[in-house]
């Protein structure tokens, strides 16, 4: 069953250089208990997506259905008391989420006051300890410490412990392992996989690092400048990439099991221009682009089971 259904979602930012169509007609489903990867270069709209699903942004149009209900109409109260108990998030920079003047334990305060006000002091301590042990931390080593006394990996684990304490149905992880060293990265990824297996938590794994996305995701969407270029079953997308953009991305990954950073062409400096393209946004960079590519936006076509591509090479007219 689909936990999250995103339907023709759009958000346009107004800028002096014209509208930035950060998400422009994207649809996908996240099933219960799956890790869903959103991958693409910087500027493709990944973080905007996460913020839309967290309702930190309101879409220009389209629907976001969570457990079948459109969350775009939820008011503050509904979000606070219900939605954020089911949907939690972890971001890129763990240091930014802690007050440097407070002991790290204080990070748990809001979770208890918002979602678990009935829990007494003693039980609360035990719950925090258990949550910390669940993410591979020794409570005695981290509790009572200040952020600067801990590593980035430890802080990120504390934030994951906090996010998972309420046993959310969906965890949004936006470049959540970016600032961790390589071995900690894999540990944290395995941790997310573990939680999925144990509690059926779905994870929306947002990354610009294809190798990490491949490692953890069951399904993957490849985004380019606010649009879907390819999506579906991770194995199919990575082993049989159809879109010239996906092919280019994967060619620049020397070994998919090795850490990889995008080293291709920088996204266009002229923000506005790319969003005024009527057709495929990748056309200006695409070696296979034809006339039609600039004029008509290719439709998403299911080329093989659970493997979709939006490209005129596959009859997306
Ligand atoms: N508040 C904003 N106002 C204007 N443009 C924005 C804003 N936030 C993001 N953008 C633009 O939207 C596009 C997508 O950004 P983002 O979602 O952060 O992409 P990603 O996370 O994939 O790097 C970028 O071109 C970015 O500059
Ligand atoms: Mg981002």
């Amino acid at each position: 069953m689909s936990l999250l259904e995103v339907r023709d979602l759009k958000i346009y930012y107004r800028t002096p250089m014209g509208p930035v169509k950060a998400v422009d007609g994207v649809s996908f489903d996240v099933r219960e208990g799956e890790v869903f990867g959103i991958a693409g270069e910087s500027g493709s709209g990944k973080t905007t997506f996460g913020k839309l699903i967290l309702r930190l942004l309101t879409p220009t149009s389209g629907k976001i259905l969570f457990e079948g209900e459109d969350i775009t109409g939820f008011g503050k109260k509904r979000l606070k008391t219900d939605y954020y108990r089911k949907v939690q998030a972890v971001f890129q920079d763990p240091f930014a989420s802690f007050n440097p003047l407070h002991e790290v334990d204080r990070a748990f305060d809001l979770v208890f006051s918002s979602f678990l006000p009935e829990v007494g002091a003693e039980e609360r301590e035990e719950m925090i300890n258990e949550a910390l042990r669940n993410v591979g931390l020794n409570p005695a080593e981290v509790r009572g410490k200040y952020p600067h006394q801990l590593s980035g990996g430890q802080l990120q684990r504390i934030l994951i412990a906090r996010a998972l304490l309420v046993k959310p149905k969906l965890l949004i992880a936006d470049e959540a392992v970016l600032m961790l060293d390589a071995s900690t990265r894999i540990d944290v990824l395995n941790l997310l996989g573990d939680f999925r297996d144990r509690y059926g938590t779905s994870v929306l794994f947002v990354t610009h690092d294809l190798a990490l996305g491949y490692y953890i995701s069951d399904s993957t969407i490849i985004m380019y400048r606010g649009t879907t270029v390819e999506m579906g079953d991770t194995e199919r997308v990575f082993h049989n990439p159809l879109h010239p953009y996906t092919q280019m991305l994967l060619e620049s990954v020397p070994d998919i099991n090795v850490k990889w950073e995008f080293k291709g062409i920088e996204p266009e400096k002229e923000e506005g221009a790319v969003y005024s393209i009527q057709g495929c946004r990748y056309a200006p960079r695409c070696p296979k682009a034809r006339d039609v590519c600039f004029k008509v936006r290719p439709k998403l076509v299911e080329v093989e089971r659970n493997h979709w591509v939006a490209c005129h090479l596959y009859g997306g007219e």
Side-chain angles (χ1 to χ4, degrees):
M1 190 196 120
S2 290
L3 179 68
L4 183 75
E5 298 161 67
V6 173
R7 292 291 172 267
D8 201 17
L9 197 64
K10 296 184 184 176
I11 186 165
Y12 296 175
Y13 295 115
R14 260 184 262 176
T15 76
M17 285 166 293
V20 168
K21 301 177 181 176
V23 174
D24 199 11
V26 174
S27 302
F28 61 77
D29 280 29
V30 178
R31 295 189 311 269
E32 251 169 53
E34 84 167 330
V35 178
F36 190 94
I38 301 188
E41 290 161 86
S42 163
S44 52
K46 306 182 300 295
T47 293
T48 301
F49 231 119
K51 286 184 180 166
L52 284 163
I53 291 162
L54 281 171
R55 266 305 307 275
L56 301 175
L57 291 170
T58 301
T60 305
S61 66
K63 285 197 173 95
I64 303 169
L65 305 175
F66 184 83
E67 296 180 320
E69 256 191 291
D70 192 355
I71 67 142
T72 54
F74 283 8
K76 277 212 177 85
K77 189 157 175 242
R78 180 77 196 271
L79 288 171
K80 262 192 169 166
T81 55
D82 178 38
Y83 190 60
Y84 293 144
R85 196 178 172 141
K86 294 177 179 162
V87 180
Q88 287 277 318
V90 204
F91 301 99
Q92 175 176 323
D93 182 3
F95 293 95
S97 300
F98 287 90
N99 182 327
L101 304 176
H102 290 164
E103 293 176 5
V104 293
D105 305 58
R106 293 275 292 272
F108 289 94
D109 286 357
L110 198 64
V111 174
F112 283 95
S113 61
S114 305
F115 308 123
L116 304 160
E118 71 286 355
V119 172
E122 211 171 301
E123 193 186 345
R124 177 182 163 141
E125 293 310 296
E126 197 30 58
M127 282 176 78
I128 295 175
N129 289 342
E130 195 200 327
L132 291 170
R133 284 192 292 265
N134 275 342
V135 297
L137 289 171
N138 175 355
E141 277 174 27
V142 296
R143 298 204 60 179
K145 295 275 165 52
Y146 289 87
H148 72 269
Q149 295 176 298
L150 299 177
S151 70
Q154 286 172 312
L155 293 177
Q156 195 65 302
R157 280 170 197 255
I158 293 174
L159 294 172
I160 293 172
R162 175 177 73 173
L164 295 175
L165 194 129
V166 288
K167 307 229 160 57
K169 299 227 164 139
L170 177 67
L171 178 73
I172 299 176
D174 187 348
E175 307 278 14
V177 298
L178 189 68
M179 296 179 67
L180 310 181
D181 61 63
S183 68
T184 314
R185 273 186 180 179
I186 295 300
D187 288 347
V188 170
L189 291 187
N190 290 338
L191 195 80
L192 298 179
D194 241 38
F195 254 85
R196 185 265 315 271
D197 294 345
R198 259 198 285 170
Y199 302 108
T201 313
S202 305
V203 180
L204 198 68
F205 186 77
V206 175
T207 185
H208 73 283
D209 188 324
L210 283 192
L212 294 180
Y214 177 70
Y215 183 79
I216 191 172
S217 308
D218 302 301
S219 302
T220 297
I221 182 169
I222 310 278
M223 286 184 65
Y224 184 75
R225 292 280 162 167
T227 59
T228 306
V229 300
E230 188 157 353
M231 70 174 188
D233 181 73
T234 298
E235 290 297 326
R236 294 196 178 106
V237 171
F238 279 75
H239 290 290
N240 182 24
L242 300 170
H243 199 287
Y245 178 60
T246 317
Q247 291 169 355
M248 184 280 291
L249 285 179
L250 285 169
E251 273 162 21
S252 34
V253 185
D255 175 345
I256 190 145
N257 298 306
V258 169
K259 191 188 104 59
W260 169 83
E261 301 280 348
F262 179 73
K263 290 197 186 69
I265 312 156
E266 281 299 304
E268 291 80 347
K269 293 279 178 282
E270 293 164 82
E271 271 297 311
V274 71
Y275 298 107
S276 61
I277 296 169
Q278 295 297 310
C280 174
R281 297 226 167 112
Y282 186 59
R285 284 171 65 182
C286 183
K288 295 184 178 155
R290 294 175 278 144
D291 221 21
V292 62
C293 303
F294 291 88
K295 291 185 181 141
V296 182
R297 175 79 56 88
K299 287 201 181 75
L300 207 54
V301 180
E302 192 171 19
V303 172
E304 56 178 333
R305 201 172 63 81
N306 200 13
H307 185 181
W308 305 72
V309 67
C311 175
H312 287 297
L313 290 172
Y314 306 90
E317 277 84 11

